[in-house]
Amino acid sequence: MSNFLRKHFESLYIGFLWGLLSLLFFSSFFFFYQVYESRMDRNSFENKSRWNSLLNDYSSYLKDVETGGRGYLLTGDSNFLEPYENSLSHMVVIEALLRAECEPIYKADLESIIQAKQLKLEFVKGLIDSYSQGKLPKTVFIESKRRMDVFRDAVKKLLDPKVAKEEIEKEKNRKFTIRLVAVSGGFFFLLSILILWMIFVLKRNARILVEKELIEDRLFEIDDLYQNSPVGFHSLDANGYFVKINRTECEWLGYTEEELVGKIRLIDILTEGSKEVFNKNFPILKKTGRIDNLRFEVLRKDGRPLYLNLSATAIFSKSNEMIRTRSVLLDISQMVLYEKELIDSRVRAEDANRAKSEFLSSMSHELRTPLNAVIGLSMWLMEDNPKPEQVEHLKNLRFSSETLLTLINDILDFNKIEEQMIIIEEIDFSLSEFIRSVSTSFSVKAKEQLLSFHEEVDPNLPEHIRFDPTRMLQVVNNLLSNAIKFTKEGTITFRVLLVSKNEDLAEIRIDVEDTGIGIPFDKRQYVFEKFTQASQDTTRKYGGSGLGLAISKGLVELMKGKLELESEFGKGSKFSFIFSCKIGKANSLAQVLSATDRSDLTGKRILVADDIEINRSIVIRFLNRWGIESEEASDGEEVVSKLSNGKYDLILMDLHMPNVDGYTATRQIRESENWKHIPIIALTASAQLETQEKIHSVGMNDFISKPFYPNELYQKLVHWIAG
């Protein structure tokens, strides 16, 4: 019955609404028609006002005619005739418009005005035409004024009643328009209120029905989402018992809802470790009302573990006591498994990396130690006046040993680059000295290969920059060495250009270009890979490890740059890179590139500690040449013993010695106040960064890598004990 009544009244509402809309349509039509009529009347009033304005202009021009004519008659100045003539021409145009647009009832009056104007014009024209220099009688001006008054009276006779009539009509039309707008507005307002009321009633009824259906649908959706969500939901009471749980979590735990609700607490199904987490955080939940991302290990009904991530909020009573909690849970069992595998993998990777580092350090030591003897002895023999037939053999020996050392250094450098263990330093040095030193060195090497070495330096380059000269030199050396190695004839070009510069920073481009064998297009992507050259034939013909470009690329990237290649097979190659650096201060690069200065070290006493006799002999041979007195020690214990019995200016300390190694001996030395400040330089065959850090951590002042070069050793000694 209620549905029938509701539908019946809805039909009445709709019918009533259609009636109102029809009435509104016809009312709107009538209203717009009246607006149109009002607009037409307004246009008519505007036309009449314009005609009145034209008649006033007509009168003004006649006055200008009179004024111009009078001025001419009184002064004889022909300039007064110009406004006279202009006014006559304007009056002709206006007179035509007045006649064309004049209302029939005013035509007779208009003709009277025109006739009076004509009489006035004829009189003035006659005076002008018969003008002489004599003075005009007073009667002439009286007659002129009389004719002008006749014209004005004719105009006033027409305009006064016409304007009064038009004002009455305009006021009548205005009042009608106001009444029309007021009545129409009120009527439309009333209709709008009625329509809005009808719409409100209909929408309210429809909304009630729709909301009821939506509520039912949402309740169903919410319950379905709660039960079948991919995450777990449950509610606990103040004692931790389950009061509600969704189907998903029941399936995870292997229990039914009836087995859990009101019978089991959450803590009852946790492992011992998770119970501690629960007991620690449940009071926090009671106090703060929220906990997030707690990890629990839960035991299923069948005893299998399940890892859950839980976030919960609390519901409090009016007395601020917790009465229930609501929790959201995620199954993170797979993630926990992945984490364990990841941790195991990381441990294995760290062990493997540690083993690799230890292997490289050990191999570096084992290889550098005999190389130190080989290179040292070869330099020693070269300076000991060898026989002419022995010189070539010694040169070959030294070249081969240095080649092997370069290979070892390349492998270690590449390992450091891969592990991000190289830091680009910032040192102030002279860029011009750097370029001059490089050019001098490689121009000699180029001449030895019958090649031309060409240097191009931008004159706008800053004199000093703050950068890492050692690593920059390493890259440039690799590129120029390759250029010379792979060029049979032609030119090697070393180019340094300024890209941009401001007060603090400079951007510099370095190019190394050759006319050598070039690189095929399909091989360019491989030349920067480790142990790779353009072809196996290149390796056989020219040698090399294939690490030079890989190391250079890595170092340039550490400089925040990119090593680029342009090459044409058979015609040559160009390697380029751009780096940004700070503008530096004056500081000689001689300490970095060479050791040409000589300071007097005569009389200094140095203790040389090394377990290998030949290594000690090589060092002592050079120390003796520089006038330095020396003592030997084969292990750390002997070092401490000799220090107790003598005075030394510096200690050269090997790291790996039997009994007491160099690290332990240094710690013992630094513990004594008497020896706390004696300089200690490590002699190490390991180039690993960890070794360098450990050297400084135990108190050593500096280090020299084996094999060492005499100039390098000399510079270190000058730095620490000269003066």
Side-chain angles (χ1 to χ4, degrees):
M1 183 66 181
S2 60
N3 289 337
F4 173 76
L5 290 175
R6 187 170 66 249
K7 290 180 180 179
H8 180 68
F9 282 112
E10 286 179 0
S11 299
L12 290 178
Y13 292 152
I14 294 173
F16 182 62
L17 183 61
W18 275 111
L20 289 176
L21 289 173
S22 300
L23 181 60
L24 180 62
F25 174 76
F26 288 112
S27 299
S28 301
F29 180 78
F30 174 74
F31 173 76
F32 288 123
Y33 176 74
Q34 291 300 323
V35 170
Y36 173 76
E37 286 293 320
S38 176
R39 180 62 184 170
M40 295 301 294
D41 291 341
R42 189 179 297 109
N43 291 339
S44 176
F45 292 146
E46 290 175 356
N47 291 334
K48 291 176 181 179
S49 297
R50 189 171 64 84
W51 193 87
N52 295 343
S53 178
L54 285 173
L55 184 57
N56 287 325
D57 292 343
Y58 192 66
S59 300
S60 297
Y61 282 123
L62 183 60
K63 177 66 177 176
D64 292 342
V65 168
E66 181 187 22
T67 302
R70 184 185 299 169
Y72 175 71
L73 294 173
L74 292 174
T75 63
D77 188 354
S78 60
N79 289 330
F80 284 100
L81 293 179
E82 184 177 351
Y84 168 81
E85 296 294 340
N86 289 337
S87 299
L88 285 177
S89 61
H90 282 99
M91 289 184 71
V92 173
V93 176
I94 294 174
E95 188 176 306
L97 291 173
L98 289 172
R99 280 177 167 164
E101 298 177 5
C102 182
E103 296 179 63
I105 61 174
Y106 300 114
K107 283 189 178 292
D109 293 334
L110 177 62
E111 291 300 325
S112 297
I113 293 170
I114 294 173
Q115 186 177 2
K117 180 270 300 182
Q118 191 64 32
L119 292 173
K120 172 67 177 177
L121 289 180
E122 289 174 356
F123 181 78
V124 173
K125 188 174 184 303
L127 291 174
I128 292 172
D129 291 342
S130 61
Y131 170 73
S132 64
Q133 294 296 327
K135 186 177 181 181
L136 294 173
K138 184 178 181 180
T139 55
V140 172
F141 293 105
I142 293 173
E143 177 61 22
S144 177
K145 181 179 182 304
R146 186 190 68 78
R147 294 194 181 199
M148 190 66 188
D149 290 341
V150 170
F151 174 80
R152 287 172 176 162
D153 291 341
V155 171
K156 185 175 182 182
K157 180 182 177 183
L158 186 150
L159 277 181
D160 287 351
K162 183 174 184 295
V163 170
K165 180 182 177 183
E166 289 173 355
E167 288 296 327
I168 293 171
E169 291 178 352
K170 187 182 295 183
E171 181 65 20
K172 182 180 178 181
N173 182 266
R174 187 181 68 82
K175 290 180 179 179
F176 174 78
T177 301
I178 291 173
R179 286 194 297 271
L180 175 64
V181 171
V183 172
S184 300
F187 184 69
F188 289 155
F189 178 74
L190 180 61
L191 287 176
S192 300
I193 293 297
L194 290 173
I195 292 172
L196 288 173
W197 178 74
M198 294 297 297
I199 293 173
F200 171 75
V201 172
L202 291 174
K203 288 185 68 176
R204 184 185 63 180
N205 291 339
R207 187 172 64 250
I208 291 171
L209 293 175
V210 171
E211 287 178 352
K212 182 180 178 181
E213 293 177 356
L214 284 175
I215 290 171
E216 292 175 353
D217 290 342
R218 286 175 182 172
L219 287 173
F220 176 79
E221 289 176 1
I222 290 171
D223 184 67
D224 181 68
L225 178 62
Y226 179 82
Q227 294 295 340
N228 300 305
S229 174
V231 299
F233 295 104
H234 69 237
S235 298
L236 305 178
D237 62 16
N239 297 316
Y241 283 94
F242 287 98
V243 293
K244 191 174 183 180
I245 186 169
N246 73 338
R247 187 179 299 118
T248 301
E249 189 172 348
C250 288
E251 292 175 355
W252 288 351
L253 300 176
Y255 292 94
T256 63
E257 186 176 358
E258 291 75 16
E259 290 176 321
L260 292 171
V261 173
K263 300 175 182 178
I264 295 178
R265 296 180 302 167
L266 176 60
I267 196 172
D268 296 334
I269 59 175
L270 299 179
T271 61
E272 291 301 322
S274 294
K275 286 179 180 179
E276 294 180 6
V277 177
F278 181 87
N279 289 328
K280 180 180 178 181
N281 287 275
F282 199 65
I284 297 175
L285 177 61
K286 287 185 176 182
K287 182 179 179 181
T288 63
R290 185 179 185 87
I291 52 175
D292 292 305
N293 298 320
L294 293 181
R295 181 178 292 189
F296 292 113
E297 183 180 2
V298 180
L299 293 176
R300 294 184 175 96
K301 186 177 181 180
D302 58 9
R304 291 182 297 126
L306 174 70
Y307 293 93
L308 298 175
N309 181 287
L310 180 144
S311 297
T313 56
I315 302 173
F316 295 93
S317 65
K318 293 182 179 179
S319 59
N320 204 30
E321 292 183 3
M322 190 186 77
I323 57 176
R324 183 172 292 189
T325 67
R326 294 173 297 191
S327 302
V328 180
L329 301 98
L330 298 174
D331 182 358
I332 57 171
S333 300
Q334 195 66 36
M335 185 181 74
V336 171
L337 178 61
Y338 290 153
E339 284 181 356
K340 290 181 178 179
E341 293 178 353
L342 184 61
I343 291 172
D344 292 341
S345 299
R346 186 180 67 183
V347 170
R348 290 195 298 271
E350 290 175 350
D351 290 343
N353 190 54
R354 192 179 303 109
K356 183 183 74 171
S357 297
E358 291 174 356
F359 171 76
L360 287 173
S361 179
S362 176
M363 289 304 296
S364 170
H365 180 269
E366 295 300 324
L367 291 171
R368 285 171 179 270
T369 297
L371 272 177
N372 181 54
V374 173
I375 293 176
L377 286 173
S378 64
M379 289 189 293
W380 188 355
L381 292 172
M382 285 287 290
E383 296 175 0
D384 200 23
N385 297 319
K387 296 178 181 179
E389 62 270 17
Q390 293 174 332
V391 172
E392 188 64 29
H393 298 308
L394 290 174
K395 286 183 178 180
N396 290 335
L397 175 64
R398 182 173 176 180
F399 174 79
S400 299
S401 59
E402 289 181 345
T403 301
L404 181 57
L405 178 61
T406 300
L407 177 60
I408 295 170
N409 289 337
D410 283 349
I411 294 173
L412 292 174
D413 278 346
F414 189 78
N415 180 63
K416 293 180 197 175
I417 293 172
E418 280 191 326
E419 296 183 8
Q420 299 292 310
M421 294 173 64
I422 289 181
I423 299 174
I424 300 300
E425 298 178 333
E426 291 188 352
I427 301 172
D428 289 330
F429 65 94
S430 170
L431 182 59
S432 60
E433 287 184 23
F434 176 91
I435 296 171
R436 183 166 56 252
S437 175
V438 170
S439 298
T440 301
S441 174
F442 280 95
S443 62
V444 173
K445 293 182 180 180
K447 287 179 181 178
E448 290 176 355
Q449 302 295 324
L450 303 179
L451 300 173
S452 173
F453 186 87
H454 184 53
E455 172 192 305
E456 295 179 13
V457 180
D458 194 326
N460 297 316
L461 286 168
E463 174 62 26
H464 297 90
I465 63 173
R466 181 176 295 177
F467 204 58
D468 191 330
T470 302
R471 295 304 176 184
M472 193 166 79
L473 180 63
Q474 189 174 359
V475 175
V476 172
N477 276 346
N478 276 337
L479 298 180
L480 285 171
S481 296
N482 277 352
I484 292 174
K485 179 166 64 173
F486 295 115
T487 303
K488 292 183 178 180
E489 59 182 5
T491 304
I492 307 298
T493 302
F494 177 47
R495 188 180 297 113
V496 186
L497 305 174
L498 180 66
V499 179
S500 64
K501 178 184 176 184
N502 57 32
E503 293 182 359
D504 301 318
L505 297 173
E507 195 172 49
I508 298 171
R509 177 187 179 97
I510 293 180
D511 297 339
V512 174
E513 189 172 357
D514 63 60
T515 57
I517 61 174
I519 301 170
F521 181 79
D522 59 338
K523 301 294 184 181
R524 294 182 193 176
Q525 58 182 322
Y526 302 114
V527 296
F528 294 112
E529 296 181 4
K530 57 185 177 181
F531 306 114
T532 303
Q533 293 188 345
S535 68
Q536 292 299 321
D537 181 61
T538 303
T539 305
R540 290 191 298 269
K541 189 178 295 185
Y542 298 97
S545 64
L547 279 175
L549 287 179
I551 292 171
S552 299
K553 177 175 179 290
L555 290 175
V556 170
E557 289 174 352
L558 288 174
M559 298 175 188
K560 309 298 182 184
K562 182 180 180 182
L563 186 58
E564 298 179 344
L565 166 64
E566 298 176 21
S567 182
E568 186 174 352
F569 184 61
K571 294 187 177 180
S573 304
K574 182 173 78 170
F575 289 88
S576 308
F577 67 95
I578 297 176
F579 65 94
S580 297
C581 61
K582 297 178 181 177
I583 304 298
K585 300 178 182 178
N587 183 20
S588 177
L589 190 64
Q591 294 179 0
V592 179
L593 296 176
S594 65
T596 58
D597 295 336
R598 284 288 181 261
S599 299
D600 187 12
L601 299 177
T602 304
K604 301 295 182 179
R605 298 191 75 232
I606 293 178
L607 179 59
V608 180
D610 198 310
D611 61 316
I612 299 176
E613 183 179 359
I614 185 63
N615 288 341
R616 298 196 303 270
S617 300
I618 293 171
V619 174
I620 292 172
R621 174 66 179 266
F622 289 110
L623 295 181
N624 291 337
R625 180 193 300 173
W626 300 327
I628 299 172
E629 299 178 11
S630 59
E631 290 284 341
E632 299 181 49
S634 59
D635 60 21
E637 184 177 356
E638 190 174 353
V639 170
V640 176
S641 175
K642 285 184 178 292
L643 276 177
S644 302
N645 300 320
K647 183 178 179 181
Y648 300 94
D649 296 296
L650 182 140
I651 302 173
L652 292 174
M653 181 84 74
D654 186 29
L655 298 180
H656 300 283
M657 295 184 291
N659 300 323
V660 178
D661 62 19
Y663 297 114
T664 305
T666 301
R667 290 192 188 97
Q668 294 176 4
I669 292 169
R670 293 310 183 203
E671 290 173 358
S672 172
E673 286 295 328
N674 296 329
W675 308 329
K676 189 173 184 179
H677 301 292
I678 184 172
I680 302 176
I681 299 178
L683 285 171
T684 173
S686 174
Q688 295 295 91
L689 189 62
E690 298 93 329
T691 303
Q692 298 175 23
E693 293 173 351
K694 189 175 180 181
I695 285 170
H696 292 292
S697 68
V698 298
M700 295 186 184
N701 302 90
D702 209 337
F703 70 92
I704 297 176
S705 296
K706 296 178 184 177
F708 67 88
Y709 291 95
N711 281 343
E712 181 186 7
L713 176 60
Y714 186 83
Q715 283 294 319
K716 298 284 186 180
L717 298 179
V718 167
H719 176 76
W720 291 107
I721 62 174

